[in-house]
Amino acid sequence: MDEARADDAREARAGGADGARAGGADAARAGGARAAGASWAAGPSWAARADEARTGEPRPGGAARPGAPSRAGRLARAAGWIGAGVLLAGAGAGVTAVGTGAPGLETVTFTRISCAETRTAEGGGVWHCFGMSAAQIAAAEEDRRRAALDALRGRPSGPPPVRSTRLSFVAHDGRKDPAEVTATRVGSRWIAHAPGVVGTGAALLLGGCGALAAGLAGLRAARGVSQISR
């Protein structure tokens, strides 16, 4: 009888210990779940998380996303896009104005075109050709008349000066030189009115407009982030 009572006591103690351990584990799990829920509730809302993912800037009470650019960095990048856009648009407008002979620019039509260049046979734009304006043709005729008179008087002069103008980017069909070329003066060079010149100017102008649009969009986004962070 004594041995039976001792066995019953040991079984009762073992069962109590197992129940205590199971109850402790359940309580710990429930406490952890309540702590996680409290932490989630205390964190930023879904809207705040979405704004942080979109802008990289923290909402009030939130932390910045690691590696996100700051407002100053966004402003600097937007300013860079705007500066590049202004330069490209200005260059494109200038090239287009030269290629079309905008008012206010010195524009002359040349004849007697000579394109002695290896690329002439390929067609398209030729880097260098030579032509004569009406004033140069008249001056050349006067030089020849004066040279003939000097020869009759027995006072032969030297060879007449070469009166021609170097033209750049002349459109050529690859077979024969054009009859006439209209060109605009830029510094000491004459740029021919050719589709390639106008196309280059239009491409630069479009690129500049795109860069300006990207810069203005970045500037607007940076300002929006600044207002949100306040």
Side-chain angles (χ1 to χ4, degrees):
M1 292 294 293
D2 292 337
E3 292 179 359
R5 283 196 296 271
D7 291 338
D8 292 340
R10 282 195 296 271
E11 292 177 0
R13 285 195 298 271
D18 293 339
R21 283 194 296 271
D26 293 339
R29 284 194 294 271
R34 286 194 298 271
S39 174
W40 176 265
S45 63
W46 281 105
R49 293 189 182 91
D51 287 337
E52 290 177 10
R54 178 174 58 86
T55 64
E57 296 291 334
R59 290 291 294 265
R65 182 163 52 90
S70 63
R71 178 175 177 267
R74 288 176 176 273
L75 289 175
R77 185 167 56 186
W81 277 110
I82 292 174
V86 170
L87 291 177
L88 285 175
V95 172
T96 303
V98 170
T100 56
L105 299 177
E106 184 180 358
T107 301
V108 176
T109 298
F110 298 88
T111 56
R112 301 185 183 181
I113 306 300
S114 174
C115 299
E117 186 176 323
T118 55
R119 288 187 55 188
T120 302
E122 301 175 4
V126 180
W127 281 92
H128 303 301
C129 292
F130 293 90
M132 299 178 67
S133 64
Q136 288 174 329
I137 293 173
E141 294 293 339
E142 180 64 23
D143 291 338
R144 281 194 290 270
R145 188 185 66 81
R146 186 179 298 110
L149 289 176
D150 290 341
L152 290 175
R153 294 169 184 170
R155 295 179 299 177
S157 58
V162 177
R163 298 185 182 273
S164 61
T165 300
R166 190 176 188 177
L167 308 174
S168 299
F169 310 112
V170 177
H172 203 283
D173 61 3
R175 294 186 298 273
K176 58 185 299 185
D177 297 337
E180 64 178 27
V181 172
T182 302
T184 298
R185 185 174 184 176
V186 180
S188 61
R189 301 187 64 178
W190 290 85
I191 308 300
H193 296 182
V197 178
V198 178
T200 301
L204 290 173
L205 191 59
L206 288 176
C209 292
L212 278 173
L216 292 175
L219 187 62
R220 190 179 300 112
R223 288 179 176 176
V225 169
S226 176
Q227 293 176 359
I228 290 174
S229 61
R230 293 176 184 174

